[in-house]
Amino acid sequence: MQIRIGVLIVMCFLLAGCGDENIIEELAILQSVSFDVSENDQYPIKTTVLFPTVSKEGMFDTKTLTVNGKSTKDSFFKLQNLTNLKLVGGQGTILFGEELAKKGLIHFVDNFTRDPEVGTRSKFVLVQGKGDKLLTTQMPDVPDNAEYLYTFLEKVGAENKILNTSKFRFFRDYYDDGIDPVLPVFSYDDRIIQLRGAGIFKDDQYVKCLSLRETQILNYLSGDIKNGGLILSIKDRESGENSQLMLSGINSNNDVKVNIKNSQDMRVELSLDLKGSVLEYTGTMDLSDPENQKRLEKQVENYLNIHAKKLFHKMQIHQADPIGIGRMIRNHLSYDKWKEMKWREVYPDLNIKTEAKVDLVIIGKTK
Amino acid sequence: MKERLHSIQISILIYMIQNQIVLFSLPRLTAESYGTNGWLGLIFIYVLVNINIMLIAIIYKMGKGKSIFEIIETMIPKWVMLPVYLFIIGTWIGMASMVMKMYILIIKMFFFPGVPVTLFIVLITYLCFLLLKGGIYHISKASVLFFILTIWMIFLFIYLIPEFDFTRFTTFYLKGNTDFMIGSVHVYSAFLGFEISILFFHMVEKKWTKSIFIGNLMNMSIYCIITFLGYGFFSFNQLLNDIYPVITMLEYIEIPFLARVENLIFSFLAFRVILTIVIYYWGAQQICRNINSRLKPNYWMLIILTVGIFISLIPETLFDVEKWLDRISYFAIGIAWLLPLFVLCILYFQNLMNRGNSDAN
């Protein structure tokens, strides 16, 4: 009897959720939320939410609501008054308009860490232009903007380690010394949503959108990659014209060497060991010839070295360190020296060199 | 013959009763207390706890298995000891009720914002009542079952390894804004619960004291694994900023068929938290029975549980509960050290007197 009562009580305890009822038909489960700068000075944050709805006939649709508020919580309070459904957060996508991101996000997104409803894996995205426009614009090729964006981000995250971002990763890199966060940047027009590249940050301020070519190099510089891809254009030796080369199945290893003589003389050498297969080559070289293969490998190495140098230069100008060079330097210094050093001032003049080594493992089915 | 606690049961019981509610914030507490690579501070606390356990083991050996009440009351009358006993009872009931309240408030914040706190308090207290009714033997048997129900969860942390990076550990050791003294007390409170074993003396098989060390080692291993993982998972300042980093870690775990596993795990952790609560209530009940053995044990239990419910209703916010728990932990740590030392002193004087008597004869 005692055991039965005990089991009953344990069940009651585990079923305590029934005390906090959430009937799915009565919920507005937020798929996407966008934040932008509003035109109203008194209510500077424009919040747009998108959630799915199901009619009594079982028809699926999405609904968007927009308000201007003083803070994110103020906006959510106002949004609750615009619908008969209960607004609840989830593992959705959170979009930030370009203008807002340039002002700095941390005070603003700090609210999200406080709210347990917003999952740690919620995706953060930057939008060129206005975030709410991306959510609300009806596009003939996109049936559900939020769902489309979410699956797009999943795909991009799987292909590019650097673009696999979430709320947790954003905060982790923001709070760490010597690394800055990165977020994917999307743009939109009347027809389609597209990825523009990686948005790099200086602390919590968005400073620059890297092109897709730069983003793929950043991806290889930021860590070891398994089964990656790379598209590059190289100058053909015979015709002198640019030819396209596409590598796939790339496994790369990344090693950073830090040489510190004193706080003025620091060198960072990033060696990149890349092994991949040729999937497409539009040049004139016969790749079955080992000599040509070596030549092509050299060309790819040169491409990577030159473009990595340009990329570092760009990031140094904007004082953004998405690779985490600062962390490498920090881990080679004593605590006092690191604290004394003004990393943001040192970083733009830092001597960073990339040394790529490329091996083309397979050259494809044809010569 | 009266049933006695087996040494494996004691190890598991000790492991299960140690204060798990602190685990949720342990990586942050070590970071706040010891700075960068603060997980190393756990080793220091572990050594201290082992010394504390050693004191209990010495009492058992010197007292030849006599209960501490027998040892104390051969020299000091019960009425003199009464205020001390009442203080210990108060501290242990306070500890149990604050651990209960804190668990409830966390579960309310994360998962059941609409469920009234009193409902949880009543349910947990009733579960405690059922366990306490069976006595320590039933509690220890339940702890083995709860152990099997909860130990698998540690393997879920494997899913965090892809996010783990040694670079985040930094090469700095114990640097930053550290608070060694107060911080150590907080970290020490994560190990509390073992001190109740001072009341086990007449209920155990011989050579049981090594089981306390083993139980504590098991707990330390879990604490170490989770805290170490935390330092590679979070960046240092992020760790300082997260009140319950272990919940964030659990939240991040995603299995192909399951996301946000912290909901599930937190419900399972109720078993561990309940055992911590139960053992403190049980300890208080043992002392009450020593004060007045004429009153039936079940009546004592009802009085203790009722007092526990009332105490848990006093602080309302999580901040207040943390403050109360901190204060009560200070007292509990004081009891964990001073009670064995006090009993050891008595044993020492008894030995001296016995030697004196035998010399005189």
PDB file of all heavy atoms in Angstrom, chain A residues 151-164 195 212 215-216 219-220 224-231 246 250:
ATOM      1  N   THR A 151      16.109  26.939 -41.817  1.00  0.00           N
ATOM      2  CA  THR A 151      16.744  25.811 -42.519  1.00  0.00           C
ATOM      3  C   THR A 151      17.984  26.279 -43.288  1.00  0.00           C
ATOM      4  O   THR A 151      18.973  25.558 -43.396  1.00  0.00           O
ATOM      5  CB  THR A 151      15.755  25.118 -43.483  1.00  0.00           C
ATOM      6  OG1 THR A 151      15.108  26.117 -44.240  1.00  0.00           O
ATOM      7  CG2 THR A 151      14.736  24.289 -42.735  1.00  0.00           C
ATOM      8  N   PHE A 152      17.918  27.505 -43.799  1.00  0.00           N
ATOM      9  CA  PHE A 152      19.078  28.103 -44.483  1.00  0.00           C
ATOM     10  C   PHE A 152      20.260  28.175 -43.500  1.00  0.00           C
ATOM     11  O   PHE A 152      21.387  27.785 -43.820  1.00  0.00           O
ATOM     12  CB  PHE A 152      18.687  29.508 -44.948  1.00  0.00           C
ATOM     13  CG  PHE A 152      19.510  30.052 -46.090  1.00  0.00           C
ATOM     14  CD1 PHE A 152      18.978  31.013 -46.949  1.00  0.00           C
ATOM     15  CD2 PHE A 152      20.808  29.629 -46.305  1.00  0.00           C
ATOM     16  CE1 PHE A 152      19.718  31.524 -48.002  1.00  0.00           C
ATOM     17  CE2 PHE A 152      21.559  30.142 -47.367  1.00  0.00           C
ATOM     18  CZ  PHE A 152      21.009  31.081 -48.201  1.00  0.00           C
ATOM     19  N   LEU A 153      19.967  28.632 -42.288  1.00  0.00           N
ATOM     20  CA  LEU A 153      21.020  28.765 -41.272  1.00  0.00           C
ATOM     21  C   LEU A 153      21.593  27.409 -40.867  1.00  0.00           C
ATOM     22  O   LEU A 153      22.790  27.267 -40.645  1.00  0.00           O
ATOM     23  CB  LEU A 153      20.457  29.460 -40.028  1.00  0.00           C
ATOM     24  CG  LEU A 153      20.356  30.961 -40.114  1.00  0.00           C
ATOM     25  CD1 LEU A 153      19.435  31.485 -39.029  1.00  0.00           C
ATOM     26  CD2 LEU A 153      21.727  31.602 -39.982  1.00  0.00           C
ATOM     27  N   GLU A 154      20.712  26.420 -40.811  1.00  0.00           N
ATOM     28  CA  GLU A 154      21.169  25.058 -40.475  1.00  0.00           C
ATOM     29  C   GLU A 154      22.165  24.595 -41.526  1.00  0.00           C
ATOM     30  O   GLU A 154      23.212  24.030 -41.209  1.00  0.00           O
ATOM     31  CB  GLU A 154      19.979  24.092 -40.465  1.00  0.00           C
ATOM     32  CG  GLU A 154      18.990  24.381 -39.372  1.00  0.00           C
ATOM     33  CD  GLU A 154      19.158  23.474 -38.176  1.00  0.00           C
ATOM     34  OE1 GLU A 154      18.776  22.309 -38.277  1.00  0.00           O
ATOM     35  OE2 GLU A 154      19.681  23.965 -37.148  1.00  0.00           O
ATOM     36  N   LYS A 155      21.811  24.841 -42.795  1.00  0.00           N
ATOM     37  CA  LYS A 155      22.675  24.417 -43.907  1.00  0.00           C
ATOM     38  C   LYS A 155      23.999  25.184 -43.874  1.00  0.00           C
ATOM     39  O   LYS A 155      25.069  24.595 -43.949  1.00  0.00           O
ATOM     40  CB  LYS A 155      21.957  24.675 -45.242  1.00  0.00           C
ATOM     41  CG  LYS A 155      22.703  24.129 -46.428  1.00  0.00           C
ATOM     42  CD  LYS A 155      22.227  24.720 -47.725  1.00  0.00           C
ATOM     43  CE  LYS A 155      22.941  26.029 -47.997  1.00  0.00           C
ATOM     44  NZ  LYS A 155      22.787  26.549 -49.345  1.00  0.00           N
ATOM     45  N   VAL A 156      23.900  26.484 -43.720  1.00  0.00           N
ATOM     46  CA  VAL A 156      25.103  27.333 -43.696  1.00  0.00           C
ATOM     47  C   VAL A 156      26.007  26.928 -42.527  1.00  0.00           C
ATOM     48  O   VAL A 156      27.227  26.827 -42.669  1.00  0.00           O
ATOM     49  CB  VAL A 156      24.682  28.825 -43.577  1.00  0.00           C
ATOM     50  CG1 VAL A 156      25.857  29.693 -43.204  1.00  0.00           C
ATOM     51  CG2 VAL A 156      24.078  29.306 -44.874  1.00  0.00           C
ATOM     52  N   GLY A 157      25.405  26.652 -41.380  1.00  0.00           N
ATOM     53  CA  GLY A 157      26.166  26.260 -40.196  1.00  0.00           C
ATOM     54  C   GLY A 157      26.895  24.946 -40.404  1.00  0.00           C
ATOM     55  O   GLY A 157      28.024  24.759 -39.942  1.00  0.00           O
ATOM     56  N   ALA A 158      26.245  24.013 -41.125  1.00  0.00           N
ATOM     57  CA  ALA A 158      26.883  22.722 -41.379  1.00  0.00           C
ATOM     58  C   ALA A 158      28.042  22.881 -42.353  1.00  0.00           C
ATOM     59  O   ALA A 158      29.047  22.159 -42.273  1.00  0.00           O
ATOM     60  CB  ALA A 158      25.850  21.746 -41.931  1.00  0.00           C
ATOM     61  N   GLU A 159      27.924  23.825 -43.295  1.00  0.00           N
ATOM     62  CA  GLU A 159      28.976  24.003 -44.307  1.00  0.00           C
ATOM     63  C   GLU A 159      30.120  24.881 -43.813  1.00  0.00           C
ATOM     64  O   GLU A 159      31.274  24.683 -44.180  1.00  0.00           O
ATOM     65  CB  GLU A 159      28.370  24.650 -45.563  1.00  0.00           C
ATOM     66  CG  GLU A 159      27.526  23.681 -46.371  1.00  0.00           C
ATOM     67  CD  GLU A 159      26.771  24.384 -47.483  1.00  0.00           C
ATOM     68  OE1 GLU A 159      26.860  25.622 -47.583  1.00  0.00           O
ATOM     69  OE2 GLU A 159      26.071  23.674 -48.227  1.00  0.00           O
ATOM     70  N   ASN A 160      29.793  25.875 -43.012  1.00  0.00           N
ATOM     71  CA  ASN A 160      30.800  26.827 -42.527  1.00  0.00           C
ATOM     72  C   ASN A 160      30.809  26.860 -41.018  1.00  0.00           C
ATOM     73  O   ASN A 160      29.858  27.342 -40.402  1.00  0.00           O
ATOM     74  CB  ASN A 160      30.492  28.245 -43.002  1.00  0.00           C
ATOM     75  CG  ASN A 160      30.721  28.408 -44.456  1.00  0.00           C
ATOM     76  OD1 ASN A 160      31.836  28.598 -44.894  1.00  0.00           O
ATOM     77  ND2 ASN A 160      29.651  28.294 -45.207  1.00  0.00           N
ATOM     78  N   LYS A 161      31.894  26.360 -40.444  1.00  0.00           N
ATOM     79  CA  LYS A 161      31.976  26.306 -38.984  1.00  0.00           C
ATOM     80  C   LYS A 161      31.819  27.700 -38.374  1.00  0.00           C
ATOM     81  O   LYS A 161      31.154  27.886 -37.367  1.00  0.00           O
ATOM     82  CB  LYS A 161      33.349  25.730 -38.634  1.00  0.00           C
ATOM     83  CG  LYS A 161      33.445  25.087 -37.301  1.00  0.00           C
ATOM     84  CD  LYS A 161      34.808  24.433 -37.198  1.00  0.00           C
ATOM     85  CE  LYS A 161      35.153  24.093 -35.780  1.00  0.00           C
ATOM     86  NZ  LYS A 161      36.516  23.572 -35.672  1.00  0.00           N
ATOM     87  N   ILE A 162      32.423  28.676 -39.042  1.00  0.00           N
ATOM     88  CA  ILE A 162      32.430  30.042 -38.502  1.00  0.00           C
ATOM     89  C   ILE A 162      31.020  30.646 -38.492  1.00  0.00           C
ATOM     90  O   ILE A 162      30.717  31.514 -37.680  1.00  0.00           O
ATOM     91  CB  ILE A 162      33.435  30.932 -39.276  1.00  0.00           C
ATOM     92  CG1 ILE A 162      33.704  32.245 -38.555  1.00  0.00           C
ATOM     93  CG2 ILE A 162      32.983  31.213 -40.694  1.00  0.00           C
ATOM     94  CD1 ILE A 162      34.832  32.216 -37.630  1.00  0.00           C
ATOM     95  N   LEU A 163      30.151  30.178 -39.392  1.00  0.00           N
ATOM     96  CA  LEU A 163      28.797  30.739 -39.453  1.00  0.00           C
ATOM     97  C   LEU A 163      27.792  29.927 -38.633  1.00  0.00           C
ATOM     98  O   LEU A 163      26.604  30.226 -38.632  1.00  0.00           O
ATOM     99  CB  LEU A 163      28.329  30.824 -40.907  1.00  0.00           C
ATOM    100  CG  LEU A 163      29.102  31.810 -41.787  1.00  0.00           C
ATOM    101  CD1 LEU A 163      28.522  31.842 -43.185  1.00  0.00           C
ATOM    102  CD2 LEU A 163      29.097  33.216 -41.204  1.00  0.00           C
ATOM    103  N   ASN A 164      28.285  28.897 -37.965  1.00  0.00           N
ATOM    104  CA  ASN A 164      27.400  28.099 -37.113  1.00  0.00           C
ATOM    105  C   ASN A 164      27.258  28.824 -35.771  1.00  0.00           C
ATOM    106  O   ASN A 164      27.907  28.500 -34.795  1.00  0.00           O
ATOM    107  CB  ASN A 164      28.005  26.708 -36.930  1.00  0.00           C
ATOM    108  CG  ASN A 164      27.067  25.784 -36.191  1.00  0.00           C
ATOM    109  OD1 ASN A 164      25.937  26.144 -35.882  1.00  0.00           O
ATOM    110  ND2 ASN A 164      27.545  24.600 -35.884  1.00  0.00           N
ATOM    111  N   LEU A 195      22.339  34.792 -48.494  1.00  0.00           N
ATOM    112  CA  LEU A 195      23.461  34.942 -47.561  1.00  0.00           C
ATOM    113  C   LEU A 195      24.491  35.867 -48.182  1.00  0.00           C
ATOM    114  O   LEU A 195      24.873  35.696 -49.338  1.00  0.00           O
ATOM    115  CB  LEU A 195      24.082  33.561 -47.291  1.00  0.00           C
ATOM    116  CG  LEU A 195      25.336  33.539 -46.427  1.00  0.00           C
ATOM    117  CD1 LEU A 195      25.004  33.864 -44.979  1.00  0.00           C
ATOM    118  CD2 LEU A 195      26.004  32.170 -46.493  1.00  0.00           C
ATOM    119  N   LEU A 212      31.513  36.520 -49.430  1.00  0.00           N
ATOM    120  CA  LEU A 212      31.445  35.056 -49.289  1.00  0.00           C
ATOM    121  C   LEU A 212      32.827  34.415 -49.488  1.00  0.00           C
ATOM    122  O   LEU A 212      33.167  33.442 -48.822  1.00  0.00           O
ATOM    123  CB  LEU A 212      30.443  34.478 -50.273  1.00  0.00           C
ATOM    124  CG  LEU A 212      28.977  34.764 -49.913  1.00  0.00           C
ATOM    125  CD1 LEU A 212      28.057  34.370 -51.047  1.00  0.00           C
ATOM    126  CD2 LEU A 212      28.571  34.031 -48.644  1.00  0.00           C
ATOM    127  N   THR A 215      34.691  34.979 -46.401  1.00  0.00           N
ATOM    128  CA  THR A 215      34.127  34.160 -45.326  1.00  0.00           C
ATOM    129  C   THR A 215      34.676  32.741 -45.381  1.00  0.00           C
ATOM    130  O   THR A 215      34.999  32.145 -44.353  1.00  0.00           O
ATOM    131  CB  THR A 215      32.587  34.142 -45.411  1.00  0.00           C
ATOM    132  OG1 THR A 215      32.135  35.484 -45.362  1.00  0.00           O
ATOM    133  CG2 THR A 215      31.971  33.359 -44.269  1.00  0.00           C
ATOM    134  N   GLN A 216      34.800  32.200 -46.625  1.00  0.00           N
ATOM    135  CA  GLN A 216      35.305  30.819 -46.683  1.00  0.00           C
ATOM    136  C   GLN A 216      36.781  30.739 -46.261  1.00  0.00           C
ATOM    137  O   GLN A 216      37.200  29.746 -45.659  1.00  0.00           O
ATOM    138  CB  GLN A 216      35.060  30.189 -48.053  1.00  0.00           C
ATOM    139  CG  GLN A 216      35.731  30.865 -49.214  1.00  0.00           C
ATOM    140  CD  GLN A 216      35.489  30.124 -50.531  1.00  0.00           C
ATOM    141  OE1 GLN A 216      34.833  29.091 -50.550  1.00  0.00           O
ATOM    142  NE2 GLN A 216      36.024  30.649 -51.610  1.00  0.00           N
ATOM    143  N   ASN A 219      36.811  30.911 -42.531  1.00  0.00           N
ATOM    144  CA  ASN A 219      36.407  29.613 -41.998  1.00  0.00           C
ATOM    145  C   ASN A 219      37.625  28.695 -41.810  1.00  0.00           C
ATOM    146  O   ASN A 219      37.772  28.053 -40.768  1.00  0.00           O
ATOM    147  CB  ASN A 219      35.411  28.989 -42.988  1.00  0.00           C
ATOM    148  CG  ASN A 219      34.683  27.824 -42.405  1.00  0.00           C
ATOM    149  OD1 ASN A 219      34.364  27.815 -41.218  1.00  0.00           O
ATOM    150  ND2 ASN A 219      34.420  26.824 -43.223  1.00  0.00           N
ATOM    151  N   TYR A 220      38.508  28.669 -42.806  1.00  0.00           N
ATOM    152  CA  TYR A 220      39.692  27.794 -42.695  1.00  0.00           C
ATOM    153  C   TYR A 220      40.716  28.331 -41.706  1.00  0.00           C
ATOM    154  O   TYR A 220      41.459  27.575 -41.102  1.00  0.00           O
ATOM    155  CB  TYR A 220      40.328  27.579 -44.076  1.00  0.00           C
ATOM    156  CG  TYR A 220      39.499  26.642 -44.912  1.00  0.00           C
ATOM    157  CD1 TYR A 220      38.659  27.121 -45.910  1.00  0.00           C
ATOM    158  CD2 TYR A 220      39.500  25.276 -44.658  1.00  0.00           C
ATOM    159  CE1 TYR A 220      37.857  26.270 -46.644  1.00  0.00           C
ATOM    160  CE2 TYR A 220      38.694  24.413 -45.383  1.00  0.00           C
ATOM    161  CZ  TYR A 220      37.875  24.910 -46.373  1.00  0.00           C
ATOM    162  OH  TYR A 220      37.081  24.052 -47.070  1.00  0.00           O
ATOM    163  N   ASP A 224      40.178  23.864 -37.289  1.00  0.00           N
ATOM    164  CA  ASP A 224      40.260  22.669 -38.136  1.00  0.00           C
ATOM    165  C   ASP A 224      38.905  22.406 -38.778  1.00  0.00           C
ATOM    166  O   ASP A 224      37.876  22.504 -38.131  1.00  0.00           O
ATOM    167  CB  ASP A 224      40.665  21.451 -37.294  1.00  0.00           C
ATOM    168  CG  ASP A 224      42.059  21.634 -36.691  1.00  0.00           C
ATOM    169  OD1 ASP A 224      42.763  22.561 -37.134  1.00  0.00           O
ATOM    170  OD2 ASP A 224      42.416  20.865 -35.791  1.00  0.00           O
ATOM    171  N   ILE A 225      38.944  22.047 -40.069  1.00  0.00           N
ATOM    172  CA  ILE A 225      37.693  21.821 -40.807  1.00  0.00           C
ATOM    173  C   ILE A 225      37.681  20.390 -41.338  1.00  0.00           C
ATOM    174  O   ILE A 225      38.695  19.892 -41.828  1.00  0.00           O
ATOM    175  CB  ILE A 225      37.579  22.820 -41.996  1.00  0.00           C
ATOM    176  CG1 ILE A 225      37.615  24.270 -41.496  1.00  0.00           C
ATOM    177  CG2 ILE A 225      36.324  22.562 -42.819  1.00  0.00           C
ATOM    178  CD1 ILE A 225      36.445  24.733 -40.704  1.00  0.00           C
ATOM    179  N   LYS A 226      36.552  19.775 -41.222  1.00  0.00           N
ATOM    180  CA  LYS A 226      36.380  18.424 -41.781  1.00  0.00           C
ATOM    181  C   LYS A 226      35.366  18.504 -42.907  1.00  0.00           C
ATOM    182  O   LYS A 226      34.285  19.088 -42.749  1.00  0.00           O
ATOM    183  CB  LYS A 226      35.848  17.460 -40.708  1.00  0.00           C
ATOM    184  CG  LYS A 226      36.819  17.218 -39.553  1.00  0.00           C
ATOM    185  CD  LYS A 226      37.716  16.029 -39.811  1.00  0.00           C
ATOM    186  CE  LYS A 226      38.829  15.909 -38.793  1.00  0.00           C
ATOM    187  NZ  LYS A 226      39.871  16.928 -38.870  1.00  0.00           N
ATOM    188  N   ASN A 227      35.745  17.926 -44.052  1.00  0.00           N
ATOM    189  CA  ASN A 227      34.833  17.826 -45.193  1.00  0.00           C
ATOM    190  C   ASN A 227      34.279  19.185 -45.642  1.00  0.00           C
ATOM    191  O   ASN A 227      33.086  19.333 -45.831  1.00  0.00           O
ATOM    192  CB  ASN A 227      33.683  16.865 -44.828  1.00  0.00           C
ATOM    193  CG  ASN A 227      33.041  16.277 -46.059  1.00  0.00           C
ATOM    194  OD1 ASN A 227      33.633  16.329 -47.140  1.00  0.00           O
ATOM    195  ND2 ASN A 227      31.847  15.751 -45.912  1.00  0.00           N
ATOM    196  N   GLY A 228      35.168  20.129 -45.816  1.00  0.00           N
ATOM    197  CA  GLY A 228      34.756  21.468 -46.248  1.00  0.00           C
ATOM    198  C   GLY A 228      34.877  21.625 -47.755  1.00  0.00           C
ATOM    199  O   GLY A 228      35.278  20.693 -48.473  1.00  0.00           O
ATOM    200  N   GLY A 229      34.523  22.786 -48.246  1.00  0.00           N
ATOM    201  CA  GLY A 229      34.636  23.087 -49.669  1.00  0.00           C
ATOM    202  C   GLY A 229      35.308  24.436 -49.873  1.00  0.00           C
ATOM    203  O   GLY A 229      35.403  25.229 -48.929  1.00  0.00           O
ATOM    204  N   LEU A 230      35.792  24.683 -51.083  1.00  0.00           N
ATOM    205  CA  LEU A 230      36.460  25.961 -51.358  1.00  0.00           C
ATOM    206  C   LEU A 230      36.327  26.266 -52.856  1.00  0.00           C
ATOM    207  O   LEU A 230      36.630  25.411 -53.690  1.00  0.00           O
ATOM    208  CB  LEU A 230      37.938  25.854 -50.958  1.00  0.00           C
ATOM    209  CG  LEU A 230      38.797  27.098 -51.011  1.00  0.00           C
ATOM    210  CD1 LEU A 230      38.349  28.136 -49.998  1.00  0.00           C
ATOM    211  CD2 LEU A 230      40.260  26.747 -50.743  1.00  0.00           C
ATOM    212  N   ILE A 231      35.862  27.467 -53.181  1.00  0.00           N
ATOM    213  CA  ILE A 231      35.792  27.877 -54.593  1.00  0.00           C
ATOM    214  C   ILE A 231      36.739  29.058 -54.755  1.00  0.00           C
ATOM    215  O   ILE A 231      36.672  30.023 -53.987  1.00  0.00           O
ATOM    216  CB  ILE A 231      34.359  28.296 -54.982  1.00  0.00           C
ATOM    217  CG1 ILE A 231      33.391  27.152 -54.704  1.00  0.00           C
ATOM    218  CG2 ILE A 231      34.294  28.703 -56.440  1.00  0.00           C
ATOM    219  CD1 ILE A 231      31.941  27.548 -54.763  1.00  0.00           C
ATOM    220  N   MET A 246      37.271  24.383 -57.985  1.00  0.00           N
ATOM    221  CA  MET A 246      36.414  24.062 -56.842  1.00  0.00           C
ATOM    222  C   MET A 246      36.979  22.829 -56.146  1.00  0.00           C
ATOM    223  O   MET A 246      37.174  21.793 -56.773  1.00  0.00           O
ATOM    224  CB  MET A 246      34.993  23.813 -57.323  1.00  0.00           C
ATOM    225  CG  MET A 246      34.022  23.648 -56.188  1.00  0.00           C
ATOM    226  SD  MET A 246      32.369  23.475 -56.836  1.00  0.00           S
ATOM    227  CE  MET A 246      31.534  22.936 -55.381  1.00  0.00           C
ATOM    228  N   ILE A 250      37.430  18.783 -48.202  1.00  0.00           N
ATOM    229  CA  ILE A 250      38.669  19.328 -47.624  1.00  0.00           C
ATOM    230  C   ILE A 250      38.751  19.024 -46.132  1.00  0.00           C
ATOM    231  O   ILE A 250      37.813  19.255 -45.383  1.00  0.00           O
ATOM    232  CB  ILE A 250      38.720  20.866 -47.829  1.00  0.00           C
ATOM    233  CG1 ILE A 250      38.795  21.178 -49.313  1.00  0.00           C
ATOM    234  CG2 ILE A 250      39.918  21.472 -47.094  1.00  0.00           C
ATOM    235  CD1 ILE A 250      38.719  22.649 -49.633  1.00  0.00           C
TER     236      ILE A 250
END
